[in-house]
Amino acid sequence: MNRTSIALIDTAKQQSRCVCYALRTTIERERSYSTSAASTSKAQVPSSGPPADKYGRTTDPNNFTYSSSAYYYRPTPRKQPAQSIPTPQSKSPNLALKSRSRGLPIPAVLRAPFSRDGSTVKTPVAPRRSRQTVPPAEAGKVSSATAKTRISKAPPPFRLRRERAIKKFAAFIEKQYGEQYQVRVFGSTCYGASSGGLSDIDITIFDSERPYGIEPGDERQLPNIYSVDRLARRLEKHGYLKVSSIAKASVPIVKCTEPETGVTFDVNVNNRLGVYNTALLRQYCLLDPKLPYFLKVVKLWMHSKGLNNASGSCGPPSFSSYAITIMTIALFQHYGLLPNLQADKESILQTHFWEKRGGVRRKVDIRFGACKRWQPPKFPRQLRLWDWLDFWANRFDFSKRMVSIADGGFVDRPAEVPDIWGPPLPNTANVVVLDPLTFKNCTHVISSQTLAKFKQECMDMLNRMTMNRAWSAAVESHVALVADPAKSDRAMQKLYHIFHTEGR
């Protein structure tokens, strides 16, 4: 055997050794990987939890299927970064904190010096520089004192002004007439559907000696507070502004403005039906939290079109805020989003009150429940502003149907007009929106021209939203933001601007 053959044999042996070493190394790596993967899967999926699929995923506890996206994973524990050397506060603490949070080694420049025994040396911290005084000439630009003065002079938010005005009015009534009279607020302010400064505050002065009103057999002389003319003169004497009394109305009221806060009141004496109505509407808003925000938007749109003017002070009489609220709740009932609270046998409020209408006193029975056993639909329909406009413009027949939330939404009109509705006024469209407690018509003053204008405005808004998709998306996005307390005021201002200018 020559040297060449011996060299070839040695080369073959060396190559075989390399191949065997490579194979052995690969097998060991696969074994270690499989062992670590098994331990990791056991750590990720708890033994007491729901069964896992082939990917190690577990289904959601709320009975979601694998086809849905409702998977939850047990996150793998992150490695805790090594504790770094403490740094003195006098040398760039922000950079040290960034390095510590990322797990990076802290630069030597930022490390604390150590003594021979291993303890850190306390480095004195430089004192904080005092603020420089601003010259008087530049005080209006950057002075913090000037900024604080400007903030203190700014008017407080409307909610705070409203609460302050109510407390002052309650103290005034108690001081002038006695402790038996208490102030109660009612209306959209109590269930979250007020439009800020656009709506006045409705107030009832409770008389503790007449909790059910003036009964037919009560022949006692009424106190002076029941005379709205005298109450108006006393309010004007004590500094209230824009005071006026309406004594010949069905519910005599006094209008006034608190001088310091500028809040306007509509005051009546011991007419508790408004308080009971507010309690009913508030219970509806508790069942659907989106309802008060939707009412805000609808009333803002109606106000921008001149259709929220029941008194007729700014044009022909139109819908009141109370009638708009009843129409909206009836629409929610029509689509199954709200129940009929007055059909609930488990009542949470049951009383009565004597009201005077047409010179005759009538007993009004008040009873409604909370519908605790009622369940909303599994797939509820999300009502939008477009749906509200389309229903009243195209789907509701005002001549054959009427609105009554006491009957569950919408019902057919009777052949003869009941006396309880009141006599129809001349040149009116006879639109019927019934009060849920007194069953009187809240829209008896609406004329045929006003009803035609209402339907035409709804159609015009629908056409604008249909033709301009971008504008419609902007409106719906701001309507959705009204439900956010942090963005509600800004969204209402934007919608006010859109309804008045951009929609034209």
Side-chain angles (χ1 to χ4, degrees):
M1 185 178 294
N2 54 11
R3 296 179 179 179
T4 305
S5 59
I6 293 174
L8 291 175
I9 292 172
D10 294 339
T11 304
K13 289 180 179 180
Q14 188 176 2
Q15 291 178 354
S16 64
R17 290 172 185 170
C18 293
V19 171
C20 292
Y21 178 77
L23 290 174
R24 191 183 304 113
T25 306
T26 305
I27 293 172
E28 290 178 357
R29 287 179 179 177
E30 290 181 353
R31 287 179 180 176
S32 62
Y33 177 77
S34 62
T35 305
S36 62
S39 61
T40 305
S41 63
K42 291 180 181 179
Q44 288 180 355
V45 182
S47 58
S48 60
D53 61 354
K54 62 180 180 179
Y55 299 106
R57 300 178 297 190
T58 54
T59 55
D60 191 88
N62 298 323
N63 297 326
F64 285 107
T65 59
Y66 288 124
S67 59
S68 65
S69 59
Y71 288 114
Y72 68 95
Y73 295 84
R74 186 183 182 88
T76 56
R78 296 183 178 180
K79 295 182 179 180
Q80 297 293 336
Q83 295 182 359
S84 55
I85 302 173
T87 59
Q89 297 181 0
S90 60
K91 294 184 178 181
S92 305
N94 294 333
L95 182 57
L97 289 175
K98 289 181 180 179
S99 302
R100 188 180 302 174
S101 62
R102 297 176 182 175
L104 302 176
I106 299 178
V109 181
L110 301 178
R111 295 176 184 173
F114 281 80
S115 61
R116 292 183 180 181
D117 58 354
S119 61
T120 56
V121 178
K122 294 183 179 180
T123 307
V125 181
R128 184 175 294 180
R129 298 176 60 185
S130 59
R131 296 181 179 178
Q132 298 179 358
T133 58
V134 181
E138 299 180 0
K141 300 180 181 179
V142 293
S143 175
S144 60
T146 306
K148 291 181 180 179
T149 304
R150 290 175 181 173
I151 294 175
S152 62
K153 288 183 178 181
F158 181 75
R159 296 180 182 87
L160 298 179
R161 291 189 288 134
R162 182 174 57 193
E163 294 176 0
R164 188 188 306 173
I166 293 172
K167 290 181 180 179
K168 292 185 64 176
F169 186 82
F172 166 78
I173 293 296
E174 183 178 352
K175 182 179 179 180
Q176 295 293 325
Y177 295 98
E179 297 181 354
Q180 73 179 50
Y181 301 103
Q182 300 177 356
V183 172
R184 291 290 184 271
V185 181
F186 68 97
S188 58
T189 307
C190 299
Y191 51 86
S194 62
S195 302
L198 298 178
S199 58
D200 303 335
I201 297 179
D202 299 320
I203 287 181
T204 297
I205 302 176
F206 275 21
D207 185 1
S208 59
E209 295 184 357
R210 296 172 177 83
Y212 303 106
I214 303 174
E215 300 181 5
D218 189 358
E219 299 180 356
R220 293 176 296 175
Q221 185 178 0
L222 295 178
N224 294 333
I225 195 173
Y226 279 83
S227 174
V228 292
D229 295 332
R230 295 180 181 179
L231 178 61
R233 287 194 295 267
R234 185 165 295 189
L235 286 171
E236 190 173 8
K237 181 180 179 181
H238 284 79
Y240 280 81
L241 307 176
K242 301 179 181 179
V243 181
S244 61
S245 60
I246 306 176
K248 296 183 179 181
S250 57
V251 179
I253 63 172
V254 176
K255 290 180 173 290
C256 61
T257 302
E258 208 279 326
E260 295 184 3
T261 59
V263 177
T264 304
F265 294 137
D266 292 344
V267 186
N268 69 75
V269 182
N270 205 35
N271 190 340
R272 307 191 180 195
L273 292 176
V275 178
Y276 298 142
N277 276 322
T278 301
L280 174 63
L281 300 181
R282 183 176 182 273
Q283 195 63 38
Y284 277 113
C285 292
L286 291 176
L287 291 176
D288 192 344
K290 297 180 181 179
L291 177 60
Y293 305 108
F294 192 80
L295 288 172
K296 278 186 176 183
V297 176
V298 171
K299 291 196 297 183
L300 183 64
W301 181 82
M302 294 283 284
H303 185 272
S304 66
K305 306 304 177 184
L307 295 170
N308 187 11
N309 179 31
S311 61
S313 58
C314 303
S318 57
F319 297 87
S320 63
S321 298
Y322 183 57
I324 296 171
T325 303
I326 295 176
M327 292 166 63
T328 306
I329 292 177
L331 185 60
F332 274 65
Q333 290 178 336
H334 176 71
Y335 288 112
L337 302 178
L338 285 176
N340 184 4
L341 295 180
Q342 294 175 265
D344 189 7
K345 296 181 180 179
E346 300 178 1
S347 58
I348 61 174
L349 177 62
Q350 185 172 1
T351 182
H352 69 276
F353 189 81
W354 290 90
E355 71 160 350
K356 185 177 180 180
R357 185 187 304 178
V360 179
R361 299 205 173 272
R362 187 177 65 91
K363 183 179 179 181
V364 179
D365 293 325
I366 301 161
R367 187 187 67 83
F368 61 87
C371 289
K372 300 178 181 179
R373 301 179 183 179
W374 177 79
Q375 295 293 334
K378 294 183 179 180
F379 303 100
R381 176 175 179 175
Q382 300 296 332
L383 285 183
R384 303 170 300 169
L385 180 61
W386 192 92
D387 299 323
W388 193 92
L389 298 170
D390 178 67
F391 182 84
W392 299 112
N394 302 320
R395 302 179 184 275
F396 188 77
D397 190 356
F398 287 92
S399 61
K400 298 180 180 179
R401 307 275 286 175
M402 64 180 184
V403 182
S404 176
I405 63 176
D407 298 318
F410 309 112
V411 292
D412 295 332
R413 296 177 58 171
E416 298 181 0
V417 178
D419 297 336
I420 195 173
W421 291 4
L425 299 179
N427 300 325
T428 57
N430 202 12
V431 178
V432 181
V433 178
L434 294 182
D435 186 290
L437 297 182
T438 61
F439 296 101
K440 69 177 182 180
N441 187 8
C442 303
T443 54
H444 65 284
V445 297
I446 296 180
S447 62
S448 303
Q449 292 80 7
T450 304
L451 179 61
K453 178 184 177 182
F454 169 66
K455 300 181 72 172
Q456 186 62 38
E457 290 289 351
C458 291
M459 287 298 301
D460 294 343
M461 187 70 176
L462 286 173
N463 294 333
R464 284 193 290 268
M465 297 179 72
T466 304
M467 299 299 295
N468 193 343
R469 293 292 183 179
W471 185 80
S472 176
V475 172
E476 295 294 348
S477 63
H478 286 93
V479 170
L481 289 177
V482 173
D484 189 353
K487 304 177 181 178
S488 178
D489 295 339
R490 178 61 179 171
M492 290 290 289
Q493 293 177 4
K494 188 64 178 177
L495 286 173
Y496 182 85
H497 177 70
I498 289 175
F499 292 155
H500 280 80
T501 59
E502 297 182 16
R504 296 294 180 183

